[in-house]
Amino acid sequence: WTLRYEILFYSFFALAIISLRLGVLLLCVWLSTILLHFFDLYSATDNWLLGTMSSAWNIEFMLGMLSAFFLSKNKLPKPNFFLAASVFTFMFCGAMENLEILDGTKPLARLFFGVSAMFILISLVEHERSIGLTIPKVFLIIGESSYSIYLMHLLIIGITYKIMEYIGVSHMLPVWCTYIILFISAVIGGVIFSMLAERPLLRASSQIASTISKKNRSKNA
């Protein structure tokens, strides 16, 4: 269900690549609708497009762009401190949601989670470029497969659980053990899908784009 927000973001960003002025204008309008909805000044739940545009879930896109802009212009002092504080804040928000003190679907939760995630990202990038950061290969592989994991995890979790039910272990295991199995299966399945489908498609599309570009250059020459 979150793909609708990603498609919206990529559409606006594509327009910004085609026309910077148009893209900036649309992004400003988009940000305005988000802020109006956040402060309960505007609601468009009866219209799917306006409802998607004004949703608080889009705050995280804005925070992601803000992270990139900040890192391109500034340095974050004491990245280790900010990393520890932001990880603690993120986990604290998760605990509050589990205790039903914080409603994870509400705009305020999106802001809390989004800002803490933003500082986690900024802290890690600053740590990497100023101090150095060694990433184990397994995490690099998972990172490269993150989009496939995102797209496929629900399907893989469903299939895995059906298999567990079929062989009769789903009701024998404690909940935490079932969760770990489903989590691992989703990650492994997403990595496999990335290797078998996503990466070959990316290579093929890159080759097609390169061929078209070469043909255009030869025609212009």
Side-chain angles (χ1 to χ4, degrees), residues 85-161:
S86 52
V87 168
F88 173 81
T89 303
F90 191 94
M91 295 179 67
F92 179 78
C93 291
M96 292 299 99
E97 183 179 358
N98 287 337
L99 294 172
E100 298 183 354
I101 297 173
L102 180 67
D103 188 341
T105 64
K106 297 299 182 181
L108 192 61
R110 303 271 47 85
L111 183 63
F112 286 158
F113 279 116
V115 170
S116 55
M118 178 184 73
F119 275 100
I120 290 173
L121 175 62
I122 292 174
S123 301
L124 287 172
V125 172
E126 187 60 51
H127 191 290
E128 181 180 20
R129 68 184 185 181
S130 62
I131 304 173
L133 190 64
T134 302
I135 309 297
K137 188 174 181 180
V138 63
F139 291 132
L140 293 175
I141 294 173
I142 292 173
E144 291 171 353
S145 307
S146 59
Y147 201 70
S148 290
I149 295 171
Y150 164 61
L151 290 177
M152 300 299 296
H153 73 279
L154 282 178
L155 176 62
I156 295 169
I157 286 172
I159 293 172
T160 304
Y161 192 75

Side-chain angles (χ1 to χ4, degrees), residues 17-192:
I17 293 174
I18 296 171
S19 172
L20 182 59
R21 290 183 179 179
L22 176 61
V24 170
L25 175 62
L26 289 174
L27 286 172
C28 289
V29 172
W30 189 20
L31 179 59
S32 299
T33 62
I34 296 169
L35 293 175
L36 288 172
H37 176 68
F38 184 85
F39 292 106
D40 289 327
L41 299 175
Y42 170 76
S43 178
T45 55
D46 55 334
N47 185 293
W48 71 269
L49 178 58
L50 293 177
T52 301
M53 282 185 61
S54 61
S55 172
W57 291 93
N58 296 309
I59 290 173
E60 294 167 8
F61 290 120
M62 303 301 170
L63 293 174
M65 289 188 285
L66 180 61
S67 301
F69 180 78
F70 175 85
L71 288 166
S72 67
K73 304 291 184 180
N74 305 279
K75 290 186 177 182
L76 182 71
K78 300 181 180 179
N80 290 340
F81 168 79
F82 279 99
L83 178 60
S86 52
V87 168
F88 173 81
T89 303
F90 191 94
M91 295 179 67
F92 179 78
C93 291
M96 292 299 99
E97 183 179 358
N98 287 337
L99 294 172
E100 298 183 354
I101 297 173
L102 180 67
D103 188 341
T105 64
K106 297 299 182 181
L108 192 61
R110 303 271 47 85
L111 183 63
F112 286 158
F113 279 116
V115 170
S116 55
M118 178 184 73
F119 275 100
I120 290 173
L121 175 62
I122 292 174
S123 301
L124 287 172
V125 172
E126 187 60 51
H127 191 290
E128 181 180 20
R129 68 184 185 181
S130 62
I131 304 173
L133 190 64
T134 302
I135 309 297
K137 188 174 181 180
V138 63
F139 291 132
L140 293 175
I141 294 173
I142 292 173
E144 291 171 353
S145 307
S146 59
Y147 201 70
S148 290
I149 295 171
Y150 164 61
L151 290 177
M152 300 299 296
H153 73 279
L154 282 178
L155 176 62
I156 295 169
I157 286 172
I159 293 172
T160 304
Y161 192 75
K162 288 295 183 182
I163 294 173
M164 293 174 65
E165 281 187 324
Y166 181 77
I167 62 179
V169 300
S170 59
H171 302 295
M172 297 170 56
L173 299 173
V175 174
W176 64 267
C177 188
T178 301
Y179 176 84
I180 291 175
I181 293 173
L182 295 177
F183 175 82
I184 293 174
S185 67
V187 173
I188 293 175
V191 170
I192 293 172

